[in-house]
């Protein structure tokens, strides 16, 4: 059997596995479609297809320029078992990942890689349950087909209104908690919480605004947005430990600056998440070189003092 040279960079290996998954799925993709989904050139897709052929796989070219890996390929069964989990296997893998301590930085990274390479539906069924799992699987199918959906009975916490939302879904946050969508009615990319979706209807209409899709940022405090603001804090050991325990990704932005003192230098999407952390540990945190955030904290303290009068 032909073996992939694992000395090549990891993104290329991941791209090959994802291409194999796309070419064995139920949706038909042209070379240009595959190139767009894998964020690479059509020339690279042709090279990968030739690699599959050289490895002994049967590649079919269908009407409309669609390419599929033939199930009669000598190694198809072995590879399909490799890149697709059964529901039971996905559940076991998810339990093993859940067994990791929440402070382990690898936990979210493992899930991200599994979702990007392996069968998304199986993992979704392991992570979410009941009606929510059905909704997630419908959205996964819509993303795979590049179709619009109706989020039936979406309960917005911002407006307090329950209504249907027509959107173009294109990605999830960790554990399918939220879904990134472009909403044509508002002309904006938004995050919709999975738990607030009543039901999902996949429309026959394909995406119309793919070039406008933008996932935005997610900061270490799990806040989302399309802008970033620098915040710099000096932390005691207590603050540093509590920060990493609650927000494991913070560890990458923390450096020691002296005995019992650490510096957090990071970018946040808004001041809400980091503000809650600082206000809860005022005696263990010092704001440095962050005048806008300092003004934000002063404003929050003033509001708190007014409420306790």
């Amino acid at each position: 059997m032909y073996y992939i040279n694992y000395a090549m960079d990891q993104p290329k290996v991941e791209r090959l596995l994802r291409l194999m998954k796309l070419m064995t799925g139920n949706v038909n993709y042209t070379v240009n479609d595959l190139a767009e989904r894998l964020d690479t050139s059509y020339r690279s897709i042709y090279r990968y297809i030739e690699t599959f052929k050289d490895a002994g796989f049967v590649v079919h070219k269908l009407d409309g320029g669609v390419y599929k890996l033939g199930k009669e390929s000598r190694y198809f069964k072995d590879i399909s078992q490799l890149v697709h989990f059964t529901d039971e296997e996905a559940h076991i893998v998810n339990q093993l990942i859940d067994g990791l301590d929440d402070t382990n930085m690898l936990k979210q990274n493992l899930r991200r890689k599994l979702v990007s390479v392996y069968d998304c539906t199986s993992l979704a069924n392991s992570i979410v349950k009941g009606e929510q799992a059905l909704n997630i699987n419908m959205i996964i199918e819509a993303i795979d087909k590049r179709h619009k959906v109706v989020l039936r009975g979406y309960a917005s916490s911002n407006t307090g209104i329950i209504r249907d939302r027509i959107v173009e879904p294109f990605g999830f946050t960790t554990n399918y908690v939220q879904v990134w969508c472009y909403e044509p009615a508002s002309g904006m990319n938004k995050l919709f919480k999975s738990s607030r979706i009543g039901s999902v209807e996949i429309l026959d209409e394909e995406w119309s605004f793919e070039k406008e899709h933008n996932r935005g940022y997610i900061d270490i405090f799990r806040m989302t947005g399309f802008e970033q603001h620098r915040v710099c804090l000096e932390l005691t050991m207590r603050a540093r430990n509590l920060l990493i325990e609650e927000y494991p990704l913070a560890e990458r932005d923390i450096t020691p600056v002296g005995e019992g003192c650490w510096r957090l230098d990071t970018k946040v999407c808004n001041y809400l998440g980091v503000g809650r952390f600082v206000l809860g540990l005022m005696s263990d945190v010092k704001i440095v070189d962050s005048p806008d955030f300092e003004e934000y904290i002063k404003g929050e303290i003033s509001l708190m003092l007014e409420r306790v009068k």
Side-chain angles (χ1 to χ4, degrees):
M1 181 177 178
Y2 177 86
Y3 292 93
I4 295 173
N5 177 14
Y6 286 95
M8 72 173 74
D9 60 289
Q10 182 176 321
K12 190 173 293 184
V13 174
E14 183 175 321
R15 191 176 293 128
L16 278 167
L17 290 171
R18 292 180 62 198
L19 176 61
M20 190 172 290
K21 174 178 177 289
L22 292 171
M23 291 179 66
T24 56
N26 296 324
V27 180
N28 292 336
Y29 296 105
T30 65
V31 167
N32 286 336
D33 291 335
L34 294 169
E36 288 181 11
R37 293 186 72 83
L38 299 180
D39 192 25
T40 189
S41 69
Y42 72 90
R43 293 186 180 87
S44 293
I45 297 297
Y46 279 122
R47 286 198 297 270
Y48 295 151
I49 289 174
E50 289 303 314
T51 298
F52 291 152
K53 290 179 180 178
D54 292 342
F57 290 93
V58 177
V59 178
H60 296 295
K61 183 178 181 181
L62 309 181
D63 292 341
V66 171
Y67 284 84
K68 305 285 287 188
L69 276 180
K71 294 185 178 181
E72 68 274 26
S73 300
R74 178 182 174 189
Y75 305 113
F76 182 85
K77 184 177 180 181
D78 294 337
I79 295 297
S80 64
Q81 289 177 348
L82 172 66
V83 298
H84 293 279
F85 284 164
T86 66
D87 288 344
E88 184 177 7
E89 289 168 340
H91 179 69
I92 291 172
V93 169
N94 192 62
Q95 283 185 319
L96 291 172
I97 295 175
D98 272 341
L100 294 173
D101 190 283
D102 285 335
T103 63
N104 193 319
M105 290 182 63
L106 293 175
K107 190 169 184 176
Q108 291 184 3
N109 199 35
L110 282 170
R111 277 227 173 91
R112 181 189 64 79
K113 289 183 177 179
L114 285 169
V115 169
S116 68
V117 176
Y118 296 108
D119 186 86
C120 295
T121 303
S122 295
L123 284 173
N125 289 336
S126 298
I127 296 170
V128 293
K129 306 293 182 184
E131 186 175 350
Q132 189 176 342
L134 176 61
N135 290 341
I136 295 298
N137 287 330
M138 293 285 283
I139 294 172
I140 290 172
E141 181 182 346
I143 293 174
D144 203 38
K145 292 180 177 178
R146 281 184 154 90
H147 274 225
K148 295 179 182 178
V149 303
V150 182
L151 304 181
R152 297 288 184 193
Y154 184 78
S156 172
S157 60
N158 294 326
T159 63
I161 298 173
I162 299 176
R163 64 184 177 93
D164 296 345
R165 312 286 285 268
I166 298 176
V167 298
E168 296 182 359
F170 56 88
F172 289 95
T173 61
T174 303
N175 291 355
Y176 305 95
V177 172
Q178 300 176 96
V179 54
W180 282 106
C181 300
Y182 179 83
E183 186 178 46
S186 63
M188 297 174 62
N189 291 287
K190 297 181 178 180
L191 273 173
F192 293 87
K193 285 205 170 181
S194 304
S195 60
R196 295 176 185 164
I197 301 172
S199 62
V200 176
E201 177 188 347
I202 301 177
L203 301 178
D204 290 334
E205 188 178 352
E206 295 183 353
W207 291 345
S208 304
F209 303 94
E210 186 172 358
K211 291 183 178 179
E212 304 300 322
H213 294 181
N214 184 355
R215 291 175 184 258
Y217 304 102
I218 301 178
D219 64 30
I220 63 171
F221 296 93
R222 306 188 188 104
M223 296 289 115
T224 60
F226 298 94
E227 295 182 357
Q228 292 183 304
H229 312 277
R230 179 175 176 264
V231 169
C232 189
L233 308 174
E234 285 188 2
L235 312 172
T236 64
M237 180 181 291
R238 178 170 178 262
R240 178 254 185 198
N241 290 345
L242 289 173
L243 177 62
I244 293 176
E245 288 170 6
E246 187 171 0
Y247 303 106
L249 293 181
E251 189 169 7
R252 67 188 181 190
D253 296 332
I254 292 177
T255 55
V257 291
E259 186 175 353
C261 184
W262 284 263
R263 175 164 293 183
L264 172 71
D265 196 335
T266 191
K267 291 183 178 179
V268 298
C269 296
N270 57 59
Y271 292 140
L272 185 59
V274 63
R276 288 172 179 167
F277 173 76
V278 170
L279 290 170
L281 291 164
M282 289 293 292
S283 60
D284 294 282
V285 178
K286 179 181 178 182
I287 302 172
V288 293
D289 194 25
S290 308
D292 291 340
F293 179 57
E294 191 170 345
E295 289 302 312
Y296 171 84
I297 291 296
K298 289 179 180 177
E300 291 296 299
I301 292 174
S302 295
L303 288 174
M304 292 170 63
L305 290 174
E306 288 180 8
R307 290 169 185 163
V308 296
K309 285 180 180 179

